[in-house]
Amino acid sequence: MTTHAGDKIRLLLVDDEEGFRAAIARRLAKRGMAPAQASSGEECLTLLDTSPMDVVVLDVRMPGMNGIDTLKAIKTNHKDIQVILLTGNAAVSDGIEGIKSGAFDYLTKPVEIDHLFNKIKQAFGMIQLEEEKRQQLAYREKLEKKMVDTDRLAALGTLSTGIAHEINNPLAIINEAAGVIKQILEAPDMAQLPRQGDLLMALDKIETSIKRAGKITQQLLGHVKKQGPRLATTDMRLLILETLALLKGGIKKKQINILWKTEEKEHMLITDPYQIRQVLVNLITNAIHALDTNGTISLSIHETPAYMILGIEDDGVGISSDNLGKIFDPFFTTKSFDQGTGLGLFVVNKIITGLNGEIEVESHPGQGTVFMIKLPLNSGGMAQ
Ligand SMILES: Nc1ncnc2c1ncn2[C@@H]1O[C@H](COP(=O)(O)OP(=O)(O)OP(=O)(O)O)[C@@H](O)[C@H]1O
Ligand SMILES: [Mg+2]
């Protein structure tokens, strides 16, 4: 439960003696409280189901459901409500049983009104304290999780880019050697070679795998290749157009419509155009993959005083809610071996957070997906 705004205490008086209840309510009202009233334990519980309360002042001796049973039911169903019991003068044991069952405190009748007033305020103070503790705990947990995530990703990033560097050179050599073998095998005098076809097929497999490994190293190195930030005043719309030109093969093949949702004008930002281009390539490539023939990619650029927001939207297959939490994980992919490495969005996320930006995604399976990239207008000065 969250406490309501302000300090107004939502208070409920439960007592079967109407005169007594009304008198207490009147006197509390004079002190600025506005208690609701119930005449039995049953009525109290029904009321709590529809009207949230902070504090309940509860008579113990009532016909029907007594105060202790009512208290137990309240604590079971509304554990954050604080209950103050009113016991008969000679019934201290009721009070003690009440405390054991979770009452905040008990007062004996006849009740001294200022005493009750202060008790109610104390009970409410306790609720606020617990709410604060809960919020602090939630905040700490969130922070810790974020720190763990960041550490994990930073370590993974350093390790993987290191490996990518090391793999790049042997990969280039394998690629070249495979090219040489292919050339030799395809030479006219090799036509008589036994099982030439099998050898060429094996070579094809090698080439596909080299391509995939190359794509992985290229993704991983793409965002760290540069020596320090390469910042430039960039027209973001032009950069998107350049990226579309780069990807025009795939766009044409699937006859994809490109739709601008915002006015086509200059949108200048000081940023790292190489990194942003990689972000755009990865996002638009994903959109192309998600679309059937004749699908639409919608693009938008919005500016707020502090941010430039790029929107890349497709009306493609969408992402299931199960997968949505995993798409930024390295190597998460739903694509086949030669289609995807699962690094595209991992890199996108790294680049955007490196530029102090944010990325948001919303997807509806069967309807489409939208990625929003929020870049601070002054990210230039803060880029890594
Ligand atoms: N626009 C989109 N529509 C539907 N699914 C998407 C979209 N973008 C990403 N996905 C899902 O997220 C997964 C991860 O995307 P990511 O770009 O990281 O890797 P990938 O595209 O599979 O491989 P690559 O490393 O080649 O980019 C994809 O496999 C796909 O399932
Ligand atoms: Mg991708």
Side-chain angles (χ1 to χ4, degrees):
M1 184 193 82
T2 49
T3 48
H4 54 113
D7 267 353
K8 203 96 183 98
I9 305 173
R10 295 170 303 182
L11 176 65
L12 175 63
L13 290 181
V14 189
D15 199 306
D16 57 310
E17 286 172 59
E18 195 187 336
F20 172 80
R21 215 173 59 222
I24 298 266
R26 214 170 34 244
R27 292 162 77 188
L28 287 175
K30 272 194 194 153
R31 287 163 174 79
M33 289 180 176
Q37 299 182 37
S39 61
S40 68
E42 291 85 348
E43 195 189 333
C44 158
L45 295 177
T46 315
L47 205 129
L48 288 183
D49 282 337
T50 52
S51 317
M53 293 289 163
D54 299 311
V55 181
V56 174
V57 177
L58 187 61
D59 186 23
V60 174
R61 294 285 156 103
M62 289 186 293
M65 195 174 193
N66 70 33
I68 300 291
D69 288 341
T70 312
L71 164 68
K72 285 179 184 161
I74 293 176
K75 283 289 162 186
T76 310
N77 298 324
H78 312 275
K79 62 178 175 40
D80 296 317
I81 292 181
Q82 292 294 355
V83 178
I84 297 166
L85 291 176
L86 301 182
T87 66
N89 207 356
V92 176
S93 61
D94 282 348
I96 292 169
E97 198 188 339
I99 298 279
K100 275 194 205 150
S101 305
F104 176 71
D105 206 346
Y106 67 94
L107 299 178
T108 47
K109 281 183 173 178
V111 177
E112 216 267 284
I113 194 73
D114 280 325
H115 200 173
L116 177 62
F117 178 73
N118 287 331
K119 247 327 148 229
I120 295 169
K121 284 210 301 197
Q122 279 172 19
F124 185 59
M126 174 72 101
I127 294 177
Q128 287 179 315
L129 203 72
E130 282 182 357
E131 176 63 23
E132 255 168 51
K133 264 199 249 164
R134 234 190 327 259
Q135 278 175 5
Q136 271 175 13
L137 196 74
Y139 177 70
R140 218 173 33 226
E141 276 171 5
K142 206 169 135 190
L143 206 68
E144 275 167 11
K145 184 174 176 311
K146 205 168 170 184
M147 277 160 66
V148 171
D149 277 357
T150 321
D151 276 1
R152 194 172 61 102
L153 285 188
L156 197 70
T158 315
L159 183 71
S160 53
T161 48
I163 293 173
H165 263 298
E166 291 307 312
I167 283 179
N168 241 0
N169 284 341
L171 205 59
I173 296 169
I174 295 172
N175 195 26
E176 209 186 301
V180 172
I181 296 175
K182 195 170 187 179
Q183 241 179 11
I184 296 174
L185 278 178
E186 284 175 346
D189 56 330
M190 282 289 167
Q192 309 307 323
L193 190 74
R195 304 187 63 189
Q196 188 210 28
D198 287 348
L199 290 175
L200 280 171
M201 220 150 71
L203 211 53
D204 262 358
K205 280 191 191 157
I206 292 175
E207 279 180 337
T208 311
S209 294
I210 291 171
K211 255 194 216 134
R212 180 179 165 83
K215 207 171 150 196
I216 294 177
T217 54
Q218 181 201 329
Q219 285 279 20
L220 290 176
L221 293 175
H223 68 289
V224 287
K225 222 175 193 174
K226 65 203 177 70
Q227 299 294 315
R230 284 200 222 148
L231 299 173
T233 306
T234 310
D235 179 355
M236 209 48 86
R237 188 177 151 271
L238 215 59
L239 195 61
I240 296 182
L241 289 176
E242 275 173 33
T243 312
L244 290 172
L246 270 176
L247 302 173
K248 68 172 185 281
I251 294 174
K252 251 198 177 147
K253 203 164 142 201
K254 284 195 169 176
Q255 294 168 31
I256 289 166
N257 310 298
I258 303 291
L259 187 82
W260 280 90
K261 284 180 115 181
T262 43
E263 200 190 334
E264 297 183 34
K265 65 176 183 76
E266 271 188 355
H267 289 278
M268 305 308 287
L269 181 71
I270 300 176
T271 190
D272 183 329
Y274 299 95
Q275 289 199 314
I276 298 294
R277 182 183 293 129
Q278 187 170 5
V279 165
L280 292 168
V281 165
N282 290 1
L283 291 179
I284 297 172
T285 306
N286 282 348
I288 296 173
H289 282 159
L291 287 170
D292 267 338
T293 345
N294 250 318
T296 301
I297 297 178
S298 307
L299 303 162
S300 62
I301 306 176
H302 288 102
E303 281 180 63
T304 71
Y307 289 97
M308 184 174 284
I309 304 164
L310 314 181
I312 291 116
E313 187 176 349
D314 64 70
D315 57 358
V317 287
I319 304 168
S320 72
S321 51
D322 271 359
N323 286 346
L324 206 56
K326 303 181 210 154
I327 56 172
F328 295 107
D329 290 350
F331 301 108
F332 174 79
T333 182
T334 54
K335 297 174 188 171
S336 61
F337 182 79
D338 54 344
Q339 276 271 316
T341 61
L343 286 174
L345 289 178
F346 170 69
V347 168
V348 165
N349 195 30
K350 264 193 93 58
I351 290 177
I352 298 302
T353 42
L355 292 169
N356 290 312
E358 285 167 33
I359 177 162
E360 278 171 22
V361 54
E362 200 185 310
S363 189
H364 299 284
Q367 292 178 32
T369 306
V370 53
F371 281 88
M372 287 290 187
I373 304 287
K374 219 167 127 183
L375 292 165
L377 289 180
N378 60 358
S379 76
M382 293 189 274
Q384 58 183 349

